[in-house]
Amino acid sequence: MSAPQLAWLPDPSLITTGHLWDQRLSQAKDAAPDWDTLLELARYNLNFIRTMKLDRVLTRQFPEPPTHLAVKPVRLALLGSSTISHLIPSLRVAALRHGIWLTVHTGEYGSYRQELGQDDKALKEFAPTLILLLLDARHIAGFLPSNADQATADMACQEVVDSLLPECWRDAKSRYGCPVLQTSFLPVFPRLMGSAESLLPSSSANFITRINSLLPDSCRRHGAILVDLAAEATRYGLEAWYDPSLWWRAKQEIAPSAAPVFGELVGRSLAALAGRSSKCLVLDLDNTLWGGVIGDDGLDGIELGQGSPLGEAFVALQDYALRLSRRGVVLAVCSKNDELNARLPFQKHPEMILKEKDIGCFVANWNDKAENIREIASRLSIGLDSIVFVDDNPFERARVREALPMVNVPEIPEDPTLVPDAVAAAGYFDLIELSSEDLNRSDQYQANLQRQFLQESATDFNSYLSGLNMTLVYGPFDSTNLSRITQLINKSNQFNLTTRRYSQDDLTTLMVDDTAFGLWFRLTDRFGDNGLIAVVIGRDADEGIVEIDTWLMSCRVLGRGVEEATLSVIAAQALARGAVALRGIYLPTSKNNMVADMYSRLGFALLEDNGIRGKIYILSLVGRSVKQTSITLSSES
């Protein structure tokens, strides 16, 4: 039985910076606590034993979260119906891999309904920010009578997906005020009728299959987040996940050898909840998007398209990339090539699926690829940790990992037929839900490149801004925009004055809070819709003062007067609430230095300078003159 692997991560036995993985862990164990070193060690293909070793160092060095992390710590309550304690180290290490500090509370064996349905002292004291409900298939199959006819089987399915599970989710949200992750169920039962299993209403195997098919819709309707364990078991084979002897001896449904991959599945959900899903796929060209070297082999000599097994495999990778693009992932090219040669297949090869219009940023030269990736991030105004870099050359992969450890660089197989599955298995682009903003993101970045071209061709900056015909549309928080608002709040780090994080439930509560207000902002111009680009939360503070609790913006719209226009809207909102002044807070982090002096630039007076603990500013609204911008304001309230 082979264990499931984190195969997109490099082998820990490979020499990295002169030391084997085990030696580096031993050095880290005896050194001063260093989060970044442990994070780097987590980004390897670790088995259960190495995961346990790393977790011991992690929990000893960081019993509390580091103060510099941009992502809120997560307090995870793991509740289940079987033995689950062996999964905890893998959960913590997977969270570390995604830059998240995690602490875990486990409930009593099989007591999940009591812990969720009534006040549980231990769980209350733990105060979870997230609950993971991990129920075993035999427990779920217990709701199906052994002599069930079709009507009885249908009722049992309905009881699980419309009653048992939703009640657990509702209790978790109402009692502990946090989101719930729900796993699907491993297909552990032997079939009684083979391919005709669905004809037998009392079949436990068929019952679990039906429950798994109904679960995604139930999660969507009731606000739970699905962790699709069954899909992973299908991918690797049940034997890789489930060992009957461990079930009957220890009631471990998930085998310890599968724990690292289970932890990674949950870690991806944590990352998606924190807005840390990757946004950009950067692709090499030669021997990645086609076979051969375009500069040497020419347009007719590269291997691409029908009639060749490898040529069809390269087409499959392009098709996969294009489908990612259509669901909102920005595509970029980073190639060591003459640019004219590099663009030629996109322009003239009849079998190319990807076209130039599909590429948000095209960089082809002979420079170091790490520097070119920095350039791509700069042009697209995204963080390096939002990028996934795919290259067939192991040297280039190692170089980018070393120079840019925040960039995601999957290991890919030498066989091009296996590359799409390898990239997909890494889960870098996993989302909790899909918004209209996600679907339009690729078009937005394309339009932004057109704006850059206009700026470069304009005679002066003011004429450039006027030529954009910008309109800033704004409105109060609403259910339509709530998903995107939550996403922005939890992933924006650079233009973010306080970097306070709020869940969707927190924001739903804020929407009915008379002492606070939330505003979203959307910017349109002659090239299209930039999407939802800013979020502001204000709170009534001292008499006559509104405090700006949260102010964040997308970096791609900076320098266009949007800050001044947004402040005008905030000031008007505060005046309507009877305020005479705005109070602004700046809380410094390792990533938001770009807004360290923003309040000063906008005319606020400094009240307090508390160094690393932040600054407090004040702006009088009495007789305030409004700075004119090239932006038209439009309210949707």
Side-chain angles (χ1 to χ4, degrees):
M1 178 177 66
S2 60
Q5 299 282 314
L6 305 171
W8 59 92
L9 296 173
D11 187 334
S13 65
L14 297 176
I15 293 178
T16 304
T17 62
H19 300 282
L20 296 174
W21 188 93
D22 298 286
Q23 292 172 333
R24 295 193 63 213
L25 179 65
S26 179
Q27 292 171 348
K29 179 178 65 175
D30 298 327
D34 185 341
W35 177 267
D36 291 337
T37 294
L38 298 186
L39 188 151
E40 183 184 348
L41 288 169
R43 290 181 168 173
Y44 283 84
N45 183 3
L46 304 181
N47 59 19
F48 181 67
I49 299 301
R50 282 192 167 112
T51 299
M52 294 275 287
K53 290 180 178 178
L54 178 55
D55 180 65
R56 282 195 288 270
V57 178
L58 172 65
T59 53
R60 187 175 69 252
Q61 293 192 353
F62 293 99
E64 299 295 329
T67 57
H68 71 280
L69 296 185
V71 182
K72 278 179 76 171
V74 175
R75 305 181 64 81
L76 177 71
L78 176 61
L79 308 180
S81 55
S82 62
T83 302
I84 52 180
S85 58
H86 63 295
L87 303 173
I88 295 175
S90 294
L91 290 168
R92 283 192 291 247
V93 169
L96 167 66
R97 186 177 299 121
H98 292 278
I100 300 169
W101 183 89
L102 176 74
T103 186
V104 183
H105 165 88
T106 53
E108 295 294 328
Y109 181 93
S111 299
Y112 71 94
R113 295 186 81 173
Q114 298 92 311
E115 290 164 319
L116 294 175
Q118 60 192 32
D119 284 341
D120 181 85
K121 182 179 179 182
L123 196 52
K124 277 281 188 183
E125 290 178 353
F126 179 70
T129 59
L130 187 65
I131 290 175
L132 171 59
L133 197 55
L134 176 61
L135 306 181
D136 66 89
R138 283 185 169 79
H139 175 70
I140 293 299
F143 289 86
L144 177 71
S146 60
N147 61 346
D149 58 16
Q150 191 61 55
T152 305
D154 292 344
M155 289 178 61
C157 273
Q158 186 176 2
E159 181 181 0
V160 172
V161 297
D162 290 332
S163 179
L164 168 70
L165 296 178
E167 284 176 10
C168 289
W169 306 334
R170 283 193 295 271
D171 287 343
K173 287 187 175 183
S174 63
R175 198 172 299 280
Y176 302 106
C178 61
V180 182
L181 299 177
Q182 174 67 60
T183 62
S184 56
F185 308 105
L186 291 177
V188 301
F189 293 100
R191 289 177 172 266
L192 301 173
M193 294 184 63
S195 298
E197 196 74 12
S198 63
L199 300 177
L200 185 64
S202 61
S203 163
S204 295
N206 185 57
F207 185 69
I208 292 300
T209 298
R210 291 184 65 191
I211 295 293
N212 282 334
S213 69
L214 296 170
L215 190 57
D217 182 64
S218 183
C219 286
R220 180 187 58 79
R221 287 186 288 111
H222 297 285
I225 300 162
L226 179 65
V227 177
D228 203 349
L229 194 57
E232 290 299 304
T234 299
R235 172 181 173 79
Y236 289 105
L238 178 64
E239 294 78 10
W241 282 86
Y242 172 74
D243 184 341
S245 64
L246 289 175
W247 170 258
W248 296 115
R249 289 183 171 89
K251 292 299 183 286
Q252 290 181 347
E253 188 181 53
I254 298 176
S257 58
V261 176
F262 171 76
E264 174 62 18
L265 290 180
V266 177
R268 292 175 191 174
S269 295
L270 301 182
L273 279 168
R276 295 179 66 83
S277 299
S278 296
K279 294 188 290 189
C280 177
L281 175 61
V282 178
L283 295 159
D284 175 47
L285 296 181
D286 293 332
N287 292 308
T288 299
L289 285 190
W290 54 71
V293 178
I294 184 64
D296 295 335
D297 301 323
L299 195 63
D300 296 332
I302 60 174
E303 195 164 15
L304 180 67
Q306 304 303 311
S308 158
L310 292 185
E312 292 178 13
F314 289 116
V315 168
L317 175 60
Q318 291 189 31
D319 181 69
Y320 173 71
L322 185 61
R323 291 175 185 272
L324 282 177
S325 174
R326 288 172 177 164
R327 55 129 283 200
V329 175
V330 183
L331 302 183
V333 162
C334 179
S335 173
K336 285 187 175 177
N337 246 311
D338 290 327
E339 184 170 349
L340 290 177
N341 286 333
R343 289 183 179 271
L344 193 60
F346 291 87
Q347 297 167 344
K348 296 187 176 182
H349 200 291
E351 300 281 2
M352 279 290 290
I353 298 293
L354 293 174
K355 306 297 183 184
E356 283 182 299
K357 65 180 178 61
D358 301 313
I359 307 301
C361 186
F362 200 111
V363 177
N365 53 42
W366 298 102
N367 299 338
D368 176 46
K369 286 195 174 182
E371 290 306 310
N372 281 341
I373 291 173
R374 286 187 185 277
E375 174 66 17
I376 289 169
S378 175
R379 289 191 199 176
L380 295 175
S381 298
I382 60 176
L384 287 164
D385 56 357
S386 296
I387 288 176
V388 176
F389 174 56
V390 172
D391 193 311
D392 71 291
N393 189 327
F395 169 82
E396 298 291 0
R397 296 197 298 267
R399 165 61 188 153
V400 172
R401 282 196 198 102
E402 180 180 4
L404 304 174
M406 66 291 290
V407 172
N408 298 298
V409 186
E411 283 296 283
I412 61 172
E414 292 184 8
D415 185 346
T417 64
L418 305 177
V419 173
D421 284 342
V423 177
Y428 295 122
F429 303 106
D430 284 12
L431 295 175
I432 296 301
E433 55 188 344
L434 190 63
S435 68
S436 58
E437 294 285 339
D438 295 314
L439 292 172
N440 294 329
R441 182 178 294 121
S442 186
D443 290 340
Q444 290 167 4
Y445 281 102
Q446 290 279 2
N448 209 39
L449 292 175
Q450 295 180 50
R451 295 181 188 100
Q452 293 176 15
F453 178 77
L454 175 64
Q455 181 177 353
E456 291 166 0
S457 62
T459 55
D460 64 82
F461 190 64
N462 288 333
S463 65
Y464 159 69
L465 293 179
S466 297
L468 282 176
N469 301 327
M470 292 179 286
T471 298
L472 187 65
V473 184
Y474 63 93
F477 286 5
D478 53 32
S479 57
T480 301
N481 292 295
L482 200 57
S483 173
R484 174 59 174 161
I485 292 167
T486 306
Q487 194 179 62
L488 270 177
I489 284 175
N490 286 289
K491 75 177 181 181
S492 298
N493 294 309
Q494 297 181 83
F495 191 116
N496 195 332
L497 275 300
T498 57
T499 321
R500 289 170 176 153
R501 310 300 193 188
Y502 295 108
S503 69
Q504 190 158 318
D505 288 341
D506 294 332
L507 301 181
T508 301
T509 301
L510 183 140
M511 288 166 59
V512 295
D513 185 349
D514 292 336
T515 68
F517 64 89
L519 295 170
W520 55 261
F521 296 82
R522 179 182 297 273
L523 185 68
T524 64
D525 59 31
R526 60 182 279 193
F527 295 109
D529 189 346
N530 290 270
L532 202 150
I533 51 89
V535 172
V536 170
I537 295 174
R539 299 186 186 274
D540 296 338
D542 304 330
E543 184 71 26
I545 294 179
V546 164
E547 181 171 291
I548 302 173
D549 170 279
T550 295
W551 186 354
L552 57 91
M553 289 177 56
S554 169
C555 294
R556 68 178 184 273
V557 300
L558 297 185
R560 305 187 203 173
V562 181
E563 302 96 312
E564 291 83 357
T566 302
L567 178 58
S568 295
V569 176
I570 300 171
Q573 186 79 19
L575 286 168
R577 301 174 73 85
V580 296
L582 282 173
R583 186 160 68 206
I585 310 294
Y586 169 65
L587 301 178
T589 71
S590 61
K591 293 189 175 183
N592 72 350
N593 187 60
M594 69 181 299
V595 293
D597 64 344
M598 195 197 78
Y599 280 126
S600 295
R601 288 187 278 110
L602 292 175
F604 285 67
L606 180 64
L607 278 184
E608 294 181 25
D609 185 347
N610 299 309
I612 62 173
R613 291 184 290 117
K615 297 178 180 179
I616 302 175
Y617 296 83
I618 197 78
L619 177 69
S620 174
L621 300 177
V622 179
R624 173 179 174 267
S625 60
V626 179
K627 181 179 178 180
Q628 296 300 311
T629 71
S630 301
I631 299 174
T632 301
L633 298 177
S634 176
S635 171
E636 285 197 0
S637 58

